[in-house]
Amino acid sequence: VHQNYPNPFNPSTTISYSLPLESNVKIEILNILGQRVAIITNQKESAGLHSTLWNATHLAGGIYIVRINATALTQEKNFTKSIKMLLIK
């Protein structure tokens, strides 16, 4: 996962990530309390660079966490990473 752009953002931001292998990918957005507020993707994706636009119009301003979990389909490789982003309203 690369840092979202722009950061801080209002009301939408782009989340980019690279996959070395075809993987099952789940990207979640959590609030500062660790509660899930959105699931961006939860599907099989091909290797390569991916990006998705997230619109947070319905949420209050504050710090949010993007958590990505990727599990390779052909090998037993897992990857999890979290980054912080700031929504300004």
Side-chain angles (χ1 to χ4, degrees), residues 1-5 13-29 39-54 66-71 79-83:
V1 171
H2 308 288
Q3 185 63 51
N4 63 302
Y5 180 80
T13 187
T14 300
I15 300 166
S16 300
Y17 53 98
S18 299
L19 300 172
L21 302 166
E22 184 177 33
S23 304
N24 287 320
V25 176
K26 184 174 186 179
I27 300 176
E28 301 174 292
I29 307 296
I39 296 177
I40 303 298
T41 190
N42 190 12
Q43 63 186 12
K44 181 171 64 171
E45 295 191 9
S46 61
L49 182 62
H50 300 269
S51 65
T52 185
L53 183 66
W54 180 55
V66 178
R67 182 170 60 194
I68 183 169
N69 185 338
T71 304
F79 174 80
T80 301
K81 184 174 180 181
S82 300
I83 60 169

Side-chain angles (χ1 to χ4, degrees), residues 26-40:
K26 184 174 186 179
I27 300 176
E28 301 174 292
I29 307 296
L30 310 172
N31 65 19
I32 199 68
L33 300 174
Q35 300 165 323
R36 182 174 50 219
V37 297
I39 296 177
I40 303 298

Side-chain angles (χ1 to χ4, degrees), residues 59-64 86-89:
L59 295 173
I63 297 172
Y64 291 89
L86 180 60
L87 171 60
I88 296 179
K89 291 263 178 152

